[in-house]
């Protein structure tokens, strides 16, 4: 019984010791544990797998993925960061830039602005194609000139009063349809995701007149194409009290963990500690600094339970998706469509490799 | 091989002379840990596989060496193909679960229709490949 329990712990928990971490790697492969059937079983996986959404707000998606291995969860994270396409400014044609910001710095900043455009509506630009066509390019214009306000008070030193258009925001970027884009996207609203990104500061007489070409790209090429601010996950914490902890020790124990993790109950007049919500803990390992407490607690993480947090820019918003669903916040469609992409990116290369392999094998079998 | 926009091979097989297909190294081009680690996990879950591992030959080159050794006389291509298929199954199931959780009904049915249209092309290629195989 004890042996089985320790084997289960080996398989299911990553244990945080005082000076190191144990049972880090996945070991549940066929043949490693006698008495366990570890061969891949799609049905067993589907029964055990579930997704619980904790929070879906504008720009943040927090959810739990349970029953999946690190290799695959990490693959999703990597795909989200590097291989989900978005649209971003690639070429900046500078007609006039008399501002204090140099051309190349301005172009760099414009490239990093997230654009609200569904990349599925566009193709990738062909290599070596300098001009770009209407199927692979989105054009924006930024034309702004700063002037003095004649109505400003004489003694005022506040730039907001003295000048017009002295702050260039991303809301000043306007979409300029190319070719037949007005017919293709009649209801489209292509603009930067955020209106209040400060691009440059101007003074009277300075102006910026640039034309920008946005293309479709992936994060691997340049980080500006990454749809997420960040995509991270952590394993679910699992705190077990190996012995009952009472009175003063209970108070100290409660202080060792993040607020809300340990709760003190009053049982028959004595204060007894109990693990209320291990999920809130950030594992500072403060408990190992107390001699009397360090052997009473086992800190571990559940190996196949991922608490994922994706911070996504609301970029990939398909107008079609939006029309189909007006009630839910737009970010949600985005987040799901992003996940849709990421899985497609993993599934289709596999399918493609499968096809390649079959072709290879077929060729080898023939001759 | 002079095509405009030359197509590079995505996959090569390297086999030592004298062995009989049990132990093969696949060289996958333009891949990294994303496919390597997840595929390794799926192939290791196969009880017929004695050894499975991958490595990135050099960080400046984006290719991985993926090695499979099987028990007995099973050709190494079999667990490779099964691993790819299983990985597709996992991804598809995760996507389905996600859609059920996050999307409202009407959006889900719309996405299903759209996906069906784009997926048909790829599945046709794969299906024809499998068909040729069964004919041989």
């Amino acid at each position: 019984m004890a042996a089985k329990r320790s084997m289960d712990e080996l398989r299911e928990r990553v244990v945080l010791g005082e000076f190191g971490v144990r049972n880090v790697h996945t070991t549940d492969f066929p043949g490693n544990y006698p008495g366990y059937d570890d061969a891949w079983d799609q049905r067993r996986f589907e029964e055990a797998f579930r997704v619980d959404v904790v929070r879906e707000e504008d720009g943040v998606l927090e959810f739990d993925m349970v029953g999946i291995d690190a290799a695959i969860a990490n693959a999703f994270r990597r795909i989200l960061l590097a291989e989900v396409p978005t649209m971003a400014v690639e070429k900046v044609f500078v007609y006039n830039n008399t501002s204090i910001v140099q051309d190349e710095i301005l172009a760099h900043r414009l490239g990093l602005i997230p654009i609200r455009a569904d990349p599925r509506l566009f193709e990738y630009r062909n290599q070596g194609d300098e001009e770009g066509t209407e199927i692979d390019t989105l054009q924006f214009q930024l034309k702004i000139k700063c002037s003095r306000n004649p109505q400003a008070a004489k003694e005022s030193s506040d730039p907001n009063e003295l000048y017009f258009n002295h702050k260039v925001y991303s809301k000043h970027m306007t979409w300029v349809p190319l070719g037949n884009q007005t017919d293709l996207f009649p209801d489209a609203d292509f603009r930067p995701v955020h209106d209040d990104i400060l691009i440059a500061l101007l003074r009277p007489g300075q102006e910026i007149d640039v034309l920008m070409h946005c293309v479709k790209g992936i994060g691997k090429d340049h980080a500006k194409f990454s749809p997420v601010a960040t995509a991270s996950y952590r394993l679910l914490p699992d705190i077990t009290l190996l012995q009952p902890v009472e009175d003063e020790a209970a108070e100290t124990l409660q202080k060792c963990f993040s607020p809300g993790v340990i709760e003190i109950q009053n049982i028959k007049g004595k204060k007894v500690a109990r693990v209320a919500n291990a999920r809130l803990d950030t594992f500072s390992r403060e408990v190992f600094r107390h001699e009397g407490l360090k052997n009473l607690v086992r800190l571990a993480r559940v190996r196949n339970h991922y608490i994922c947090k994706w911070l996504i820019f609301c970029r990939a918003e398909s107008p079609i998706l939006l029309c189909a669903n007006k009630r839910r916040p737009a970010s949600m469609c985005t987040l799901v469509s992003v996940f849709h992409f990421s899985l497609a990116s993993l599934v289709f290369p596999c399918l493609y490799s499968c096809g390649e392999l079959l072709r290879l094998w077929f060729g080898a079998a023939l001759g | 091989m002079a095509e405009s926009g030359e197509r590079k091979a995505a996959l090569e097989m390297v086999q030592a002379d004298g062995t009989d297909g049990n132990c093969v190294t696949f060289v996958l081009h333009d891949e990294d840990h994303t496919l390597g680690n997840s595929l390794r996990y799926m192939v290791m879950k196969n009880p017929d596989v004695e050894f499975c591992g991958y490595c990135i030959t050099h960080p400046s080159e984006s290719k991985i060496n993926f090695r499979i050794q099987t028990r007995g006389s099973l050709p190494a291509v079999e667990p490779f193909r099964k691993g790819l298929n299983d990985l597709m199954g996992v991804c598809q199931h995760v996507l389905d679960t996600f859609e059920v959780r996050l999307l409202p009904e009407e959006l889900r049915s719309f996405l299903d229709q759209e996906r069906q249209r784009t997926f048909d092309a790829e599945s046709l290629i794969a299906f024809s490949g499998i068909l040729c195989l069964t004919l041989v």
Side-chain angles (χ1 to χ4, degrees):
Chain A
M1 194 59 220
K4 184 171 191 305
R5 235 182 302 126
S6 71
M7 269 218 285
D8 282 339
E9 184 186 288
L10 253 177
R11 289 163 61 91
E12 293 167 16
R13 296 286 186 272
V14 177
V15 180
L16 278 72
E18 189 179 348
F19 297 113
V21 186
R22 298 197 308 269
N23 305 343
V24 174
H25 300 289
T26 309
T27 48
D28 55 347
F29 296 116
N32 282 352
Y33 296 98
Y36 285 89
D37 176 23
D38 287 325
W40 178 255
D41 186 352
Q42 178 74 11
R43 197 185 40 84
R44 221 175 25 212
F45 164 71
E46 288 184 10
E47 278 168 23
F49 180 72
R50 65 168 206 273
V51 169
D52 301 322
V53 179
V54 169
R55 191 157 67 110
E56 23 166 325
E57 289 166 0
D58 200 34
V60 182
L61 178 62
E62 203 171 322
F63 63 97
D64 282 17
M65 260 201 303
V66 187
I68 202 167
D69 187 66
I72 306 182
N74 195 35
F76 290 142
R77 187 192 63 86
R78 288 174 65 94
I79 289 176
L80 207 58
L81 278 168
E83 295 185 42
V84 178
T86 54
M87 304 288 290
V89 173
E90 174 90 358
K91 278 201 163 24
V92 174
F93 300 94
V94 182
Y95 291 102
N96 194 2
N97 176 21
T98 42
S99 74
I100 205 89
V101 178
Q102 297 92 338
D103 289 349
E104 62 271 20
I105 308 295
L106 183 65
H108 182 248
R109 289 176 71 78
L110 291 169
L112 292 171
I113 295 172
I115 306 285
R116 183 191 297 280
D118 190 344
R120 287 175 296 188
L121 302 170
F122 298 92
E123 303 289 325
Y124 284 103
R125 197 179 266 197
N126 292 324
Q127 262 190 342
D129 183 2
E130 294 292 327
E131 301 284 313
T133 59
E134 63 227 3
I135 53 165
D136 58 34
T137 309
L138 204 54
Q139 202 176 63
F140 284 90
Q141 186 185 48
L142 179 63
K143 194 179 164 82
I144 191 163
K145 189 178 164 77
C146 179
S147 51
R148 200 176 290 279
N149 180 8
Q151 260 87 44
K154 277 248 165 44
E155 302 82 25
S156 146
S157 60
D158 177 13
N160 291 326
E161 267 187 40
L162 286 172
Y163 315 121
F164 289 133
N165 291 339
H166 70 285
K167 284 189 180 171
V168 181
Y169 287 107
S170 49
K171 67 171 183 261
H172 296 129
M173 282 169 62
T174 51
W175 175 44
V176 178
L178 272 176
N180 63 348
Q181 279 180 350
T182 12
D183 306 314
L184 274 179
F185 315 119
D187 304 316
D189 178 24
F190 295 126
R191 55 189 167 83
V193 174
H194 309 285
D195 279 337
D196 54 356
I197 300 176
L198 185 63
I199 300 175
L201 288 176
L202 301 174
R203 283 295 179 264
Q206 295 179 347
E207 91 174 86
I208 293 180
D209 182 5
V210 300
L211 201 63
M212 294 163 263
H213 279 190
C214 290
V215 297
K216 182 168 162 176
I218 55 175
K220 239 191 228 179
D221 177 26
H222 192 288
K224 70 188 176 194
F225 292 116
S226 179
V228 288
T230 191
S232 67
Y233 60 71
R234 62 188 179 109
L235 294 176
L236 179 75
D238 173 42
I239 301 171
T240 330
L241 296 177
L242 301 170
Q243 291 166 33
V245 182
E246 292 163 0
D247 296 327
E248 237 183 62
E251 300 266 327
T252 327
L253 191 72
Q254 191 180 43
K255 290 205 183 62
C256 289
F257 291 98
S258 307
V261 175
I262 302 278
E263 129 189 295
I264 305 223
Q265 289 176 329
N266 224 317
I267 300 183
K268 295 183 194 148
K270 271 201 298 193
K271 286 195 269 192
V272 178
R274 189 184 78 88
V275 179
N277 189 2
R279 191 194 166 95
L280 300 169
D281 198 32
T282 48
F283 277 154
S284 62
R285 291 162 175 230
E286 173 69 22
V287 72
F288 290 123
R289 297 181 61 227
H290 300 266
E291 278 303 320
L293 292 179
K294 68 177 171 185
N295 297 320
L296 304 180
V297 184
R298 185 194 76 168
L299 300 181
R301 289 196 188 267
V302 182
R303 177 172 278 129
N304 62 356
H305 186 133
Y306 292 88
I307 302 171
C308 304
K309 196 164 173 184
W310 294 350
L311 295 149
I312 302 185
F313 299 122
C314 298
R315 296 171 188 248
E317 206 154 78
S318 166
I320 312 164
L321 281 178
L322 253 185
C323 295
N325 170 35
K326 291 228 160 71
R327 291 189 313 271
R328 282 286 194 99
S331 59
M332 230 261 315
C333 310
T334 315
L335 300 169
V336 175
S337 59
V338 162
F339 195 72
H340 199 253
F341 287 141
S342 67
L343 284 179
S345 325
L346 193 52
V347 170
F348 289 138
C350 292
L351 190 53
Y352 182 66
S353 316
C354 246
E356 280 293 298
L357 177 63
L358 291 169
R359 213 175 315 158
L360 254 156
W361 203 34
F362 186 47
L366 273 185
Chain B
M1 283 272 279
E3 298 166 34
S4 60
E6 32 167 283
R7 224 177 110 275
K8 281 186 277 197
L11 168 67
E12 285 166 28
M13 266 170 66
V14 175
Q15 203 172 309
D17 294 327
T19 59
D20 51 351
N22 284 2
C23 32
V24 173
T25 299
F26 300 94
V27 181
L28 289 97
H29 291 274
D30 288 335
E31 295 295 346
D32 54 8
H33 302 287
T34 308
L35 184 64
N37 198 21
S38 41
L39 187 58
R40 177 201 63 87
Y41 173 77
M42 299 312 294
V43 173
M44 280 293 286
K45 281 289 204 180
N46 190 336
D48 295 322
V49 166
E50 191 178 41
F51 174 88
C52 173
Y54 80 100
C55 71
I56 298 193
T57 47
H58 191 277
S60 306
E61 291 179 334
S62 64
K63 69 178 187 189
I64 61 174
N65 282 359
F66 195 93
R67 184 161 178 86
I68 299 183
Q69 273 174 224
T70 55
R71 275 182 234 290
S73 54
L74 188 69
V77 173
E78 280 299 320
F80 187 63
R81 184 177 27 184
K82 183 169 187 302
L84 285 168
N85 284 324
D86 289 343
L87 190 55
M88 278 206 295
V90 169
C91 294
Q92 190 58 46
H93 179 72
V94 174
L95 179 59
D96 293 339
T97 316
F98 226 83
E99 283 184 349
V100 164
R101 282 272 172 256
L102 282 187
L103 289 186
E105 268 306 325
E106 66 265 22
L107 205 52
R108 209 180 311 153
S109 54
F110 170 76
L111 265 183
D112 280 335
Q113 284 169 29
E114 228 192 59
R115 209 186 321 149
Q116 201 51 42
R117 254 184 287 129
T118 50
F119 203 68
D120 276 335
E122 274 97 348
S123 57
L124 198 63
I125 299 170
F127 179 67
S128 55
I130 296 168
L131 199 63
C132 297
L133 216 61
T134 50
L135 287 174
V136 161

